Amino acid sequence: MSHTILVTGATGTVGSELVKALANRGLTVRAGVHSLIKGDRLKQLNPEVQLVEIDYARPETLHVALTGVERVFMLTPFSEDQVEIGKRIIDAAKQVGVQQVVKLSVAGAEVTPGIQLGRWHREVEQYLEQSGLAYTLLRPGGFMQNFLNYNGEDIRREGRLYMPIGDGRVSYIDARDIAAVAAVVLSATGPEHHGQAYTLSGPAAVSGSEVATAISQASGRPVSYVDVPEEAAAQAMAEAPAWLRGSMLELQRLYKAGHAAGVSPVVEQLTGCPPRSIGQFTLDFQQQFQPAS
């Protein structure tokens, strides 16, 4: 068995950071991508990164991607069939003799009855737990990068951050810190992380207003938080599939109720570095909050 690590979803927010973190440690990284063309930028990060196509509609591609792999970072797409995809990866990993699977889950997945997003992840977690494979579960809260990926256009164009979460505080985490934890777990030479479930968060829970203030200070332009009614948020997602719209609105209700404000010490415990604050995140990405010239 080689010491190759497969990262699925390698071009995504967390996956791309993890590929970089693992490559920087001198580890052999195989990046699972839906499109080899899109994966080219991963080769630019490190030419030693192996690119492999994974198309979940073609199981043979998953088998090829996993062959000769010792450890897997399992990041499944946010799709209606994400549970089936997760189970398919686990079955294939077991079939080819993978030694460890690190699953990217979600904070609160263990809570019952929880929300739909958590239940989807928990079903796959339980399947992994019962698989006989060594496993580690990473359960992060909301990503700071979502302020760029989903709110960035409104922030750049209007100077407004629209969210239906009232005064709810959330312990958002920087995806780079998730990747740092995953890199520690995947590069460990012993079984100390096997069977562990780690909840990951940023250093503090912040409100929408505080996020807007941090963006304002970093970008040097006024950005205001707008608490929109849930009906307006639902209307903004009117063209999205019902499963996606419903699960996102449910998550935002959780935020509004203050149930995502818990702070975990795990990032610093495992990496030796405190997690990045929202202020640090906005400073690091200040140019991406600026209006297009």
Side-chain angles (χ1 to χ4, degrees):
M1 176 64 65
S2 73
H3 295 292
T4 302
I5 300 169
L6 173 68
V7 177
T8 71
T11 59
T13 301
V14 175
S16 58
E17 292 292 343
L18 177 57
V19 168
K20 187 192 309 180
L22 291 171
N24 286 344
R25 286 172 173 255
L27 299 168
T28 303
V29 184
R30 185 176 297 176
V33 299
H34 186 67
S35 164
L36 293 177
I37 294 175
K38 286 187 177 180
D40 277 347
R41 66 185 181 90
L42 297 175
K43 295 285 285 185
Q44 293 170 13
L45 293 176
N46 190 311
E48 298 301 315
V49 171
Q50 303 172 9
L51 293 184
V52 61
E53 180 187 12
I54 297 178
D55 182 346
Y56 295 115
R58 295 163 52 216
E60 67 274 12
T61 66
L62 184 58
H63 184 84
V64 169
L66 284 163
T67 299
V69 165
E70 181 182 35
R71 299 179 182 184
V72 175
F73 180 75
M74 186 173 75
L75 191 162
T76 50
F78 184 37
S79 61
E80 194 170 16
D81 60 347
Q82 60 190 287
V83 172
E84 290 75 15
I85 288 173
K87 292 179 178 180
R88 206 175 303 154
I89 295 171
I90 293 164
D91 288 342
K94 189 172 181 180
Q95 184 180 12
V96 301
V98 165
Q99 297 298 300
Q100 180 189 19
V101 174
V102 177
K103 170 176 164 46
L104 185 69
S105 185
V106 66
E110 74 283 10
V111 175
T112 55
I115 61 174
Q116 183 59 67
L117 185 61
R119 289 193 294 272
W120 282 326
H121 278 285
R122 184 58 187 148
E123 185 174 346
V124 180
E125 285 185 355
Q126 290 176 318
Y127 195 80
L128 178 57
E129 290 166 359
Q130 296 160 10
S131 70
L133 292 165
Y135 69 87
T136 308
L137 309 176
L138 303 185
R139 295 170 174 162
F143 300 174
M144 293 180 184
Q145 277 75 4
N146 288 346
F147 296 116
L148 289 171
N149 298 335
Y150 299 109
N151 305 104
E153 186 176 348
D154 290 330
I155 292 169
R156 288 186 292 270
R157 188 181 63 238
E158 303 178 31
R160 293 184 178 181
L161 170 62
Y162 295 102
M163 297 179 74
I165 64 170
D167 296 322
R169 305 177 77 84
V170 181
S171 52
Y172 300 105
I173 182 169
D174 193 309
R176 293 172 294 180
D177 291 321
I178 302 171
V181 169
V184 167
V185 173
L186 287 161
S187 60
T189 56
E192 60 266 30
H193 302 296
H194 293 181
Q196 298 296 317
Y198 295 125
T199 296
L200 310 178
S201 78
V206 293
S207 66
S209 294
E210 289 170 328
V211 173
T213 297
I215 297 171
S216 298
Q217 292 173 343
S219 64
R221 55 188 292 264
V223 175
S224 59
Y225 166 62
V226 180
D227 176 28
V228 300
E230 183 176 306
E231 297 75 18
Q235 184 59 39
M237 293 187 285
E239 296 185 9
W243 67 266
L244 190 155
R245 184 171 61 251
S247 60
M248 292 309 298
L249 290 171
E250 191 179 28
L251 177 64
Q252 289 162 346
R253 285 186 215 115
L254 186 84
Y255 286 178
K256 188 171 185 175
H259 297 315
V263 173
S264 162
V266 170
V267 170
E268 185 164 12
Q269 287 174 346
L270 293 189
T271 69
C273 299
R276 296 169 175 86
S277 66
I278 192 67
Q280 184 62 56
F281 167 78
T282 54
L283 278 172
D284 289 347
F285 293 94
Q286 57 182 293
Q287 292 301 321
Q288 295 184 45
F289 289 113
Q290 298 290 350
S293 54

